[in-house]
Amino acid sequence: MSQVQFEDAVIDLNEGESVLDGLLRSGIDMAFGCKSGVCQSCLVEVTEGVPPAAAQKGLNDAQTALGYMLSCQCRPEQAIRVKRIDASTQMVSSEVLDKQWLNENVLRLRVRSELNYRAGQYITLWRNETLARSYSLASHPESDDFLEFHIKVIPDGQLSPWLANEVMAGNRLSLQGPMGQCFYTATSPDQPLLMAAIGTGLAPIYGILKDALSQGHYGPIDVVLGARESNGFYLLDELADLAHQHSNLTIHVVSQADLPEDQDNIQSVQADLYDYCNELWPSLKGYRVFLCGADSFVKKLRKQSFLAGADMGDISADVFIPAGG
Ligand code: FES
């Protein structure tokens, strides 16, 4: 059993329990979001003891040098002392510009901010000092003068309904980040690219796609979008326009149920998405693959892509961890 010390409290951690869960169990009010090492909302500073490597995975050099760690990923083998960090030092402010529904459940949120990022990365958005959620960026830093997010609104969630119903243009929001390694690099502009997403996985794919096209990628690009039903798709007009402008881009819309109305420059197919990918790309040797969406989708298609010959180093993923909206 190991111990965590926090302010005046000394807490014995249960077997396999994280520092965050131990602190929460003891009634200490801690900030957290995903509990999966993604959103960085649970950062604390280690003042005594050595954090396990897993607790600093994904942090930048400055955060590591400051002794920060992710309390949700820390299961220490020895006693450790931590303290709260001033979360505001990790945040940048933004101003809400615009909200628009993209389909029944997905809200487009645009904000103005000085935050530097790469297309395809994600940020953590804070509602208050203890409540945060991560969202991927759909905007492209060189061509958009705003940050764009596609928010799946979960009716009984804590943050997404607040964004949908209470946050207005002109309000200020605190952002933290950017984070994530799922972005385009212009090292092989002739390489075939396969980009696949379900749901709001389109957000990072949209940013990555705009980045690849703006950097002059001329190899074939296939974007495969999956949804349970036709009303789960969005931004199809914008994607059709891009396909119209770029002859190397093909957009595939795949669902086992009903499909959106036919439109030029979009290939709509009634099929199982995994079977469809298997059929169209029996070999992915030499491809760069981007996968964005729910954990189960990314895991399955990552394995399938690898088995089809894609190099693991050429598969980038943005995995959405459910955090309750
Ligand atoms: S990274 Fe710890 S709660 Fe998200």
Side-chain angles (χ1 to χ4, degrees):
M1 186 192 294
S2 59
Q3 269 185 346
V4 56
Q5 295 180 49
F6 179 87
E7 296 172 349
D8 294 334
V10 179
I11 297 143
D12 290 327
L13 294 174
N14 295 327
E15 188 67 35
E17 188 176 41
S18 70
V19 165
L20 174 65
D21 282 338
L23 295 174
L24 292 172
R25 176 171 54 78
S26 307
I28 296 170
D29 197 15
M30 298 295 294
F32 68 94
C34 66
K35 286 194 175 180
S36 300
V38 173
C39 69
Q40 297 195 5
S41 59
C42 64
L43 280 175
V44 292
E45 180 183 338
V46 180
T47 55
E48 271 179 51
V50 181
Q56 293 187 310
K57 196 170 166 208
L59 301 190
N60 62 36
D61 292 348
Q63 290 171 317
T64 309
L66 287 166
Y68 291 177
M69 71 163 194
L70 302 169
S71 56
C72 74
Q73 297 301 299
C74 181
R75 291 170 180 81
E77 302 208 332
Q78 286 155 6
I80 196 164
R81 180 189 283 267
V82 300
K83 71 173 191 181
R84 225 183 268 281
I85 62 168
D86 179 2
S88 65
T89 61
Q90 302 289 306
M91 295 181 197
V92 294
S93 179
S94 68
E95 181 191 350
V96 176
L97 296 175
D98 175 50
K99 296 192 309 184
Q100 188 185 328
W101 288 98
L102 295 171
N103 66 21
E104 272 177 25
N105 306 308
V106 178
L107 181 77
R108 186 185 74 189
L109 173 72
R110 287 181 172 169
V111 304
R112 183 184 296 122
S113 166
E114 296 302 310
L115 186 129
N116 291 317
Y117 67 99
R118 295 188 67 155
Q121 287 192 293
Y122 63 90
I123 59 93
T124 293
L125 198 153
W126 290 78
R127 175 173 176 175
N128 55 39
E129 284 174 7
T130 57
L131 180 60
R133 295 285 183 265
S134 293
Y135 295 104
S136 296
L137 288 150
S139 43
H140 179 243
E142 278 77 36
S143 28
D144 298 324
D145 57 0
F146 48 79
L147 307 184
E148 177 171 316
F149 308 101
H150 300 164
I151 314 282
K152 182 172 179 194
V153 177
I154 315 268
D156 58 353
Q158 291 180 281
L159 201 135
S160 57
W162 171 72
L163 288 173
N165 302 323
E166 294 180 44
V167 169
M168 300 292 164
N171 288 169
R172 300 206 71 85
L173 293 176
S174 294
L175 311 178
Q176 178 186 357
M179 294 158 269
Q181 308 290 329
C182 184
F183 45 71
Y184 174 78
T185 41
T187 43
S188 308
D190 57 340
Q191 188 175 25
L193 306 181
L194 175 62
M195 304 183 180
I198 54 168
T200 50
L202 174 57
I205 288 292
Y206 193 49
I208 294 164
L209 173 63
K210 288 188 285 183
D211 196 27
L213 293 172
S214 75
Q215 295 203 52
H217 192 94
Y218 59 84
I221 306 176
D222 286 277
V223 174
V224 182
L225 303 175
R228 281 210 192 95
E229 289 169 6
S230 61
N231 59 8
F233 296 103
Y234 62 91
L235 285 190
L236 295 185
D237 290 346
E238 289 81 350
L239 290 163
D241 274 354
L242 284 176
H244 178 66
Q245 291 162 31
H246 299 274
S247 58
N248 60 331
L249 172 62
T250 309
I251 308 291
H252 311 252
V253 165
V254 185
S255 176
Q256 283 185 295
D258 54 330
L259 289 163
E261 274 178 27
D262 281 347
Q263 70 185 98
D264 290 346
N265 300 302
I266 300 265
Q267 296 191 10
S268 297
V269 187
Q270 200 159 35
D272 172 83
L273 186 141
Y274 306 103
D275 292 345
Y276 182 71
C277 289
N278 240 344
E279 210 169 285
L280 257 70
W281 295 280
S283 171
L284 285 170
K285 202 167 168 45
Y287 270 74
R288 178 94 200 272
V289 180
F290 296 91
L291 306 172
C292 302
D295 188 30
S296 55
F297 163 78
V298 169
K299 266 192 194 138
K300 189 166 176 181
L301 212 48
R302 191 200 310 253
K303 185 174 175 193
Q304 186 171 310
S305 303
F306 175 67
L307 292 174
D311 192 298
M312 261 310 176
D314 273 335
I315 304 176
S316 299
D318 184 357
V319 181
F320 292 5
I321 306 289

